Amino acid sequence: MDSFNGTTGFSFNPNSDQDGEDDFSGLLDIFVHHARNIHNICIYENQDVYAKFSLTYSPDEIVSTRIVNGGGKNPDFNENLTMKITQLDAVLKCEIWMLSRVRNYFEDQLLGFALVPMSLVSGKGK
């Protein structure tokens, strides 16, 4: 997944209460450009893929791209996503999944993931 050419950034609200877990602290703007040379595990045709993003401190809060039908090994997402961040030491988990069209038999399959510490992108955006 490359997001270097898009508008990925982090903005922080210094007036928020740092002690409260539910208080809003900042926004992470994610531009999901594309994925390249991922393993195509679909044996009949090009796989349908999507990307999911979550923060390690709240793994149940997920944002996802649309499904790229027939994306195969080189899906183009070109999609903007936004996440709320309440902890500055957060780590963003980026995943690429293949959609299962036969949910009675197979679950969606994880194709790959990356972990990005927010300390690497804080102060680089807005």
Side-chain angles (χ1 to χ4, degrees):
M1 244 180 327
D2 287 331
S3 62
F4 302 111
N5 296 329
T7 56
T8 300
F10 173 76
S11 58
F12 176 67
N13 180 0
N15 298 324
S16 67
D17 181 12
Q18 299 264 336
D19 297 332
E21 290 182 17
D22 295 332
D23 291 335
F24 171 75
S25 300
L27 284 177
L28 177 65
D29 295 318
I30 305 166
F31 179 75
V32 188
H33 184 40
H34 62 257
R36 293 294 177 251
N37 298 318
I38 58 176
H39 187 66
N40 188 359
I41 62 173
C42 186
I43 59 174
Y44 300 110
E45 57 190 39
N46 283 334
Q47 61 200 359
D48 302 330
V49 295
Y50 62 97
K52 291 188 339 185
F53 299 88
S54 63
L55 296 164
T56 53
Y57 68 81
S58 59
D60 293 334
E61 294 180 28
I62 297 169
V63 294
S64 179
T65 64
R66 70 188 182 340
I67 297 164
V68 179
N69 294 318
K73 294 175 64 171
N74 301 304
D76 290 316
F77 297 101
N78 294 323
E79 192 168 338
N80 288 305
L81 304 170
T82 302
M83 297 185 78
K84 291 182 182 177
I85 296 182
T86 58
Q87 296 179 11
L88 290 177
D89 60 348
V91 176
L92 180 67
K93 185 176 182 182
C94 314
E95 300 173 326
I96 299 287
W97 289 81
M98 181 190 83
L99 178 71
S100 174
R101 295 289 182 184
V102 287
R103 292 204 183 267
N104 293 341
Y105 300 106
F106 298 108
E107 296 290 322
D108 291 357
Q109 300 294 309
L110 178 65
L111 300 174
F113 74 95
L115 298 174
V116 180
M118 289 295 92
S119 61
L120 293 178
V121 295
S122 64
K124 308 274 193 269
K126 298 177 184 177

